[in-house]
């Protein structure tokens, strides 16, 4: 038996050990959050002892929901509904707008296309914080509305670039065959391109969902009514209000993170497929 053959099991065991350690590092905060949400507040911030599941109950959840019981404090259902509506609006409209813009850049011929594509690439490195203040003054009359939390984030240079990178790698022969059969641009896009692009649609949907669901700066600037607060702003306000109860804060955090995990589990197959295909293209 060669040295290479003998060392292969050792390398495999080492790889699995490293991956296990990394998995534990990433899973540990989530496990701490979930376990702490069921424990008395006095036992939540307990170092390593916080991972020990003892004295578990739903008191933190009922107590947290009970503290949001009037128009002055807002209701948790309102926070959740706001985040759900805003995130759904940004994701759905963003998939439509950004994919069409990217398809136009990748496949159609029109004047100034290269300049627009250069602008899209340049905008991918521009952080939202750089334009937040001008946007605030331009849209200040529309505070405390759902649409003002949606519209500024529908068009995304990064999403357009992801779609463009995927579309440019699709075989043109299939689209040309559809054109020969009499399909126009819209029919080709809807019937041919979109079904072949499920991985990139899933990737953009997940990234857009994560970004919008956790958005904090824009709601801080544009929302001051409790009924229109999204979850990130609501938990920040809740955390700063006495009495400070870490068990209830953890319970709030679990209810805020749970939809993110559900969405990722639903779309992870296409997300991984998109990453794999991107690696193959590179």
């Amino acid at each position: 038996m060669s040295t290479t053959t003998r060392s292969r099991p050792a390398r495999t065991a080492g790889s699995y050990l490293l991956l296990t350690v990394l998995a534990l590092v990433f899973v540990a905060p989530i496990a701490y959050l979930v376990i702490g949400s069921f424990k008395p507040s006095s036992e939540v911030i307990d170092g390593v002892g916080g991972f020990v599941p003892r004295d578990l109950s739903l008191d933190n959840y009922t107590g947290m929901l009970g503290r949001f019981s009037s128009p002055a404090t807002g209701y948790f259902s309102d926070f959740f509904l706001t985040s759900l509506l805003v995130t759904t609006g940004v994701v759905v409209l963003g998939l439509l707008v950004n994919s069409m813009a990217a398809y136009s850049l990748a496949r159609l011929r029109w004047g100034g296309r290269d300049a627009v594509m250069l602008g899209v690439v340049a905008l991918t490195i521009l952080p939202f914080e750089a334009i937040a203040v001008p946007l605030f003054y331009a849209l200040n009359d529309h505070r405390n509305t759902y649409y003002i939390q949606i519209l500024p984030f529908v068009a995304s240079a990064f999403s357009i670039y992801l779609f463009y990178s995927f579309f440019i790698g699709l075989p043109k022969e299939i689209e040309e065959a559809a054109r020969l059969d009499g399909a126009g641009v819209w029919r080709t896009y809807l019937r041919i391109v979109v079904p072949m692009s499920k991985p990139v649609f899933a990737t953009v949907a997940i990234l857009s969902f994560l970004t919008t669901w956790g958005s904090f700066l824009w709601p801080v600037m544009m929302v001051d009514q409790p009924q229109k607060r999204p979850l990130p702003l609501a938990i920040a306000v809740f955390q700063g209000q006495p009495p400070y109860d870490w068990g209830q804060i953890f319970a709030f955090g679990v209810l805020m993170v749970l939809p993110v995990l559900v969405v990722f589990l639903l779309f992870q197959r296409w997300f991984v497929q998109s990453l794999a295909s991107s690696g193959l293209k590179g």
Side-chain angles (χ1 to χ4, degrees), residues 78-247:
D78 291 337
F79 308 149
F80 190 90
L81 180 62
T82 297
S83 285
L84 186 61
L85 289 176
V86 170
T87 303
T88 301
V90 171
V91 171
V92 173
L93 294 176
L95 290 177
L96 180 66
V97 170
N98 296 317
S99 64
M100 290 192 300
Y103 183 71
S104 175
L105 291 169
R107 288 291 190 260
L108 305 184
R109 298 291 181 265
W110 43 277
R113 186 189 65 166
D114 293 339
V116 172
M117 189 62 216
L118 182 62
V120 169
V121 174
L123 286 174
T124 58
I125 64 174
L126 182 68
F128 175 74
E129 289 77 7
I131 61 172
V133 174
L135 270 180
F136 171 78
Y137 285 110
L139 303 173
N140 191 42
D141 293 336
H142 303 276
R143 295 166 58 87
N144 298 306
T145 59
Y146 291 128
Y147 66 84
I148 203 59
Q149 300 183 59
I150 297 175
L151 292 181
F153 305 99
V154 171
S156 167
F158 183 67
S159 296
I160 293 174
Y161 183 75
L162 287 180
F163 277 118
Y164 175 85
S165 300
F166 191 90
F167 291 157
I168 206 72
L170 293 177
K172 294 183 179 180
E173 292 77 11
I174 299 178
E175 297 172 57
E176 292 172 353
R179 298 286 179 83
L180 292 176
D181 289 339
V185 174
W186 282 106
R187 187 175 180 184
T188 301
Y189 168 75
L190 294 173
R191 297 291 182 88
I192 305 298
V193 175
V194 172
M196 291 193 303
S197 306
K198 289 180 180 178
V200 71
F201 272 87
T203 300
V204 173
I206 290 176
L207 295 178
S208 180
F209 183 94
L210 291 175
T211 302
T212 308
W213 190 264
S215 176
F216 180 75
L217 176 61
W218 189 241
V220 166
M221 299 174 66
M222 299 301 293
V223 178
D224 51 32
Q225 292 181 0
Q227 294 79 8
K228 295 297 191 298
R229 286 174 185 162
L231 287 170
L233 178 56
I235 194 173
V237 174
F238 178 60
Q239 184 177 347
Q241 293 178 341
Y244 306 108
D245 191 310
W246 282 105

